[in-house]
């Protein structure tokens, strides 16, 4: 693993974990339809975080672009989860993880 990517990889993996947890928890809520966009974005965000971590770990020459995309999707996911954060703890934690990951990915992309 490239040392310069270590923190960003860790944030991506932490975000992926929170997104997967939020995704699963949202599916178990009473009003799943209201959480449809949250569910869709957490799924997409988990995938891109996993991909970004893998790209950094393997030294991809596209790390900058991948991390920029990851930051963009993390921001969108955070914004959506924040809409539900007052009612769902899993959404609050997910939004927090997404914001941290977006910040680290933006640093890595620049």
């Amino acid at each position: 693993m490239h040392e310069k990517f270590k923190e960003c990889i860790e944030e991506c993996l932490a975000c992926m974990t929170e997104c997967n947890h939020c995704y699963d928890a949202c599916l178990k809520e009473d009003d799943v339809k209201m959480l449809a966009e949250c569910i869709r974005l957490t799924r997409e965000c988990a995938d891109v975080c996993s991909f970004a971590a893998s790209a950094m770990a393997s030294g991809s020459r596209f790390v900058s672009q991948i991390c920029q995309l990851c930051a963009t999707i993390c921001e969108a996911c955070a914004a959506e989860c924040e809409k539900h954060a007052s009612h769902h703890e899993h959404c609050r934690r997910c939004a927090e993880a997404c914001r941290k990951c977006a910040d680290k990915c933006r640093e890595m992309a620049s």
Side-chain angles (χ1 to χ4, degrees):
M1 180 181 340
H2 300 283
E3 202 55 41
K4 67 179 179 175
F5 299 134
K6 189 175 184 326
E7 280 183 42
C8 193
I9 290 170
E10 287 170 2
E11 289 299 339
C12 284
L13 294 176
C15 187
M16 177 196 74
T17 301
E18 285 300 332
C19 283
N20 281 329
H21 173 71
C22 189
Y23 168 81
D24 183 58
C26 282
L27 287 174
K28 294 173 182 161
E29 294 292 343
D30 292 334
D31 194 356
V32 173
K33 195 170 189 167
M34 180 198 67
L35 295 166
E37 186 64 6
C38 189
I39 291 166
R40 190 185 69 72
L41 275 167
T42 52
R43 190 67 256 129
E44 199 168 355
C45 192
D47 288 346
V48 79
C49 285
S50 173
F51 178 56
S54 179
M56 285 182 277
S58 65
S60 169
R61 63 187 176 125
F62 301 105
V63 163
S64 184
Q65 297 94 320
I66 292 166
C67 284
Q68 187 56 55
L69 175 64
C70 188
T72 301
I73 293 173
C74 282
E75 288 290 344
C77 190
E80 182 61 31
C81 280
E82 282 165 354
K83 294 177 186 175
H84 313 288
S86 62
H87 296 92
H88 305 294
E89 176 65 13
H90 52 85
C91 287
R92 187 196 63 72
R93 286 196 319 270
C94 188
E96 197 175 284
C98 286
R99 293 270 180 227
K100 287 171 72 176
C101 186
D103 289 345
K104 279 291 173 198
C105 280
R106 208 166 280 107
E107 271 177 42
M108 193 54 59
S110 59

